[in-house]
Amino acid sequence: MSANKNSGSSMDGGGGYYCSVPEFYTGAEVFLTGGTGFMGKVLIEKLLRSCPDVGRVFVLMRCKQGKTPETRVRELTNNPLFETLKMKNPDALNKLVPIFGDCMQLRLGMSERDIDQLRNVSVVFHLAASVRFNDPLKDAILTNVLSTREIFEICKGLPALKAVVHVSTAYSNPEHKHMEERIYPPKADWKKMLECALQFDHQVLNILTDKVTNSAPNTYTFTKGLAEQICLDYQDQLPLVIFRPSVVVNTIDEPLVGWIDNLNGPSGMLLGAGTGIVRTDLLPMENRVNTIPADISIKALLLAAWQRGTKEQTLREDFLPVYNSAAEYEHSWQYKKMLDCGKANMTKLSFTRLLWVPGGSVTTWRLKYYVMVLFTHILPALLIDALCLLTGKKPFLMKIQRKVFLAQASLRYFVYNQWIFETKRFRSLRNELQGDDISTFSWHLSEEKVDQFYFDCWLGVRRYLLNDPDETLPKAIKKMNRLILIDRIVKAGFALLVLYLLWRSSIFHNLETQLVRHSR
């Protein structure tokens, strides 16, 4: 069979039929949770753009009174990420169908009528999760565990189902520093934990948190690990896949270079440091953080469902593939390189909303860190908030610094530990591609591309988190230069003041010595 440009169909390497990725999704109805989140948006955009013949795409959304489904979809797609799709195929957005519900409720809070709408769904992506590390245990269980069980129960009633992709995290079992692409032993019984969350209130579960989470650093990793055990229990009832992204960051290529819409991970660090708000942290400079560009992870996510629904469809009923969506160690981000890149870019890609000149330093000495927090975070925040009150403005900086301190504390376990992720199965997804699928769904990371990515991430934070148009760069650079001059004057003035005080102190000391001698 010759290759077909529309479907991408061909003979595979073994002489069998090759079902292209767009062909697999042609006419397929898709249901996803977490569609309004960071990865969810990238998934929807890529699916509609690269698989234009896909059927309806049902997106679970929370109910907002007074807003029509059309309004909710417009809110979802009212983002620069969708501009390319709107130019090339604007009708594709008509395939989005909002389903009102709540992942923290039984049956996902969906009505029977809405569940009935899903009867022809063949592919399900479960991305919904709370990524807050400090969530109360009850909330984390309801969001990450209950939602997983409920969506699997719904999936059992879908006769056309071909693939269910559960999005977990590469840190679901963080006690294992070498993370293989397999299921690890449970840390607790998910059924009992879910029963406790449904039965007991927040106060009771908060008391029990430290005991029941055992070695888990927070409720997020603990409950994501529990959710994987649910997959294990349902593996003989559903065509399941476990997909584990590491730290998902800006897009590297498509549809926009450097796009980002949340402050999680390195993007939050760049924003805080680049605006002059964050000036210190406890950070081992030689350690690395494993990051994966959002568009690469989403390509692999779509391929995991394609693989499960085609080549792996006839495998044994208890087959449960696990993919670690992570970068190779040499392509992970070293903290020292991140900071060096930030220093190099702070004048070239200055932000318009600068509080002060970016600067400061990091340390691994806790005493020094707390002293620096006091003098570079807390005291300036108190001073600026006091000035705000005196001028009739609302104080803001102390509140931000409190969030910064808590965020740094919640990340400390991950900053001070390093992991090696096995990615053989993850990388094999791109090796299965043929024809047009290679250019559309494959990926390649080189050292040069990763170096450019540091720059693109900074630019992405500027463009998409701060909404600074590129035209504002000259104005921002001028502001940065002014602040640099003021910063130098302030530092020089402070140094002169210290020297003056020391000089005065020495004069008084000499005068006192002379008086003592004279009195004798």
Side-chain angles (χ1 to χ4, degrees), residues 290-307:
N290 194 292
T291 61
I292 189 76
D295 47 339
I296 289 180
S297 198
I298 291 304
K299 285 178 181 179
L301 188 64
L302 290 167
L303 294 180
W306 163 73
Q307 183 89 314

Side-chain angles (χ1 to χ4, degrees), residues 327-342:
E328 292 82 1
Y329 181 79
E330 62 271 18
H331 293 150
S332 57
W333 286 17
Q334 187 183 53
Y335 292 115
K336 182 180 185 305
K337 196 168 183 178
M338 283 176 57
L339 292 176
D340 289 344
C341 176

Side-chain angles (χ1 to χ4, degrees), residues 31-36 44 58-64 68-69 71-77 96-103 108-110:
F31 175 51
L32 67 145
T33 66
T36 57
I44 291 171
F58 298 96
V59 184
L60 187 72
M61 296 180 175
R62 281 188 181 152
C63 232
K64 285 192 176 179
T68 65
T71 302
R72 294 306 314 277
V73 169
R74 190 162 55 250
E75 287 179 346
L76 172 65
T77 58
L96 290 179
V97 181
I99 298 287
F100 293 138
D102 188 338
C103 282
L108 302 182
M110 295 163 56

Side-chain angles (χ1 to χ4, degrees), residues 342-404:
K343 291 176 183 177
N345 289 327
M346 77 174 187
T347 52
K348 291 186 292 185
L349 297 174
S350 302
F351 301 153
T352 55
R353 279 173 278 181
L354 281 173
L355 185 68
W356 196 250
V357 178
S361 62
V362 299
T363 182
T364 54
W365 186 18
R366 286 183 178 270
L367 179 59
K368 181 181 178 182
Y369 166 72
Y370 290 121
V371 170
M372 291 177 68
V373 166
L374 175 63
F375 284 99
T376 65
H377 286 184
I378 296 176
L379 292 181
L382 291 172
L383 175 62
I384 290 176
D385 282 355
L387 291 174
C388 287
L389 288 171
L390 290 173
T391 56
K393 297 179 181 178
K394 186 177 180 181
F396 67 97
L397 193 52
M398 196 62 204
K399 183 179 179 181
I400 291 176
Q401 291 295 9
R402 181 178 180 275
K403 289 182 178 179
V404 167

Side-chain angles (χ1 to χ4, degrees), residues 412-427:
R412 199 142 293 144
Y413 174 85
F414 301 96
V415 167
Y416 271 81
N417 288 280
Q418 297 188 89
W419 289 263
I420 300 294
F421 298 102
E422 180 184 292
T423 57
K424 183 178 179 181
R425 185 184 288 275
F426 169 69
R427 287 180 284 113

Side-chain angles (χ1 to χ4, degrees), residues 237-248:
Q237 304 173 61
L238 298 170
L240 275 163
V241 173
I242 292 179
F243 191 84
R244 294 174 178 156
S246 59
V247 180
V248 183

